Amino acid sequence: MDNNQDSNQQTSTTDVSITVSQDSKNLALLLWLGTIFFGFIPGLVMYLVKKDDAYILDQSKEALNWSITALIGYVAGMILTIILIGVVVMFAVGICHLVFCIMGVIAASSGKPFRVPYALRLIK
């Protein structure tokens, strides 16, 4: 019985990636690339404009949540520069921002949903 449930879960996971159109994949890829350079703006624009596409809406929420989390990390780093550890914090947040956005680009190019592991889920 467990094997049957596992195969059903695998089928539903592959169905999700099959139903994502190439346009949705491209927009999600551009969304994550834009998040690297422009922060929360691409996520906010896609969240407000593309409400009809479930995949884009999901990825824009995720990119927006990560951008807000990174912004909080940068602000905390700026405050902590008073005691000289803020530079290390800002560097760490910058590296995480770059790595997680690249992981988002890779997942979006194949049409898989991507979740940033350490993002605050403020927008649901």
Side-chain angles (χ1 to χ4, degrees):
M1 179 128 192
D2 289 332
N3 292 336
N4 189 18
Q5 289 176 348
D6 290 338
S7 65
N8 287 340
Q9 289 175 350
Q10 290 173 354
T11 305
S12 65
T13 304
T14 55
D15 288 343
V16 170
S17 63
I18 291 172
T19 59
V20 176
S21 69
Q22 188 63 40
D23 289 338
S24 296
K25 291 178 190 178
N26 291 340
L27 280 175
L29 186 131
L30 289 174
L31 167 72
W32 281 106
L33 276 176
T35 302
I36 293 172
F37 299 108
F38 303 112
F40 69 92
I41 295 171
L44 183 62
V45 169
M46 289 289 183
Y47 179 72
L48 294 174
V49 172
K50 296 297 274 182
K51 295 237 183 216
D52 58 332
D53 191 348
Y55 182 69
I56 297 295
L57 185 64
D58 178 58
Q59 290 303 297
S60 64
K61 286 179 189 177
E62 190 63 26
L64 196 53
N65 282 331
W66 170 245
S67 296
I68 292 169
T69 303
L71 184 65
I72 291 170
Y74 286 130
V75 169
M78 282 191 258
I79 292 170
L80 288 173
T81 54
I82 296 170
I83 57 173
L84 301 176
I85 196 169
V87 176
V88 175
V89 170
M90 289 175 60
F91 181 73
V93 171
I95 294 296
C96 288
H97 182 70
L98 182 65
V99 168
F100 289 148
C101 287
I102 290 173
M103 288 172 62
V105 166
I106 292 169
S109 68
S110 62
K112 296 177 184 172
F114 175 67
R115 294 283 174 256
V116 177
Y118 300 108
L120 300 174
R121 307 281 179 231
L122 300 174
I123 299 171
K124 296 181 182 189

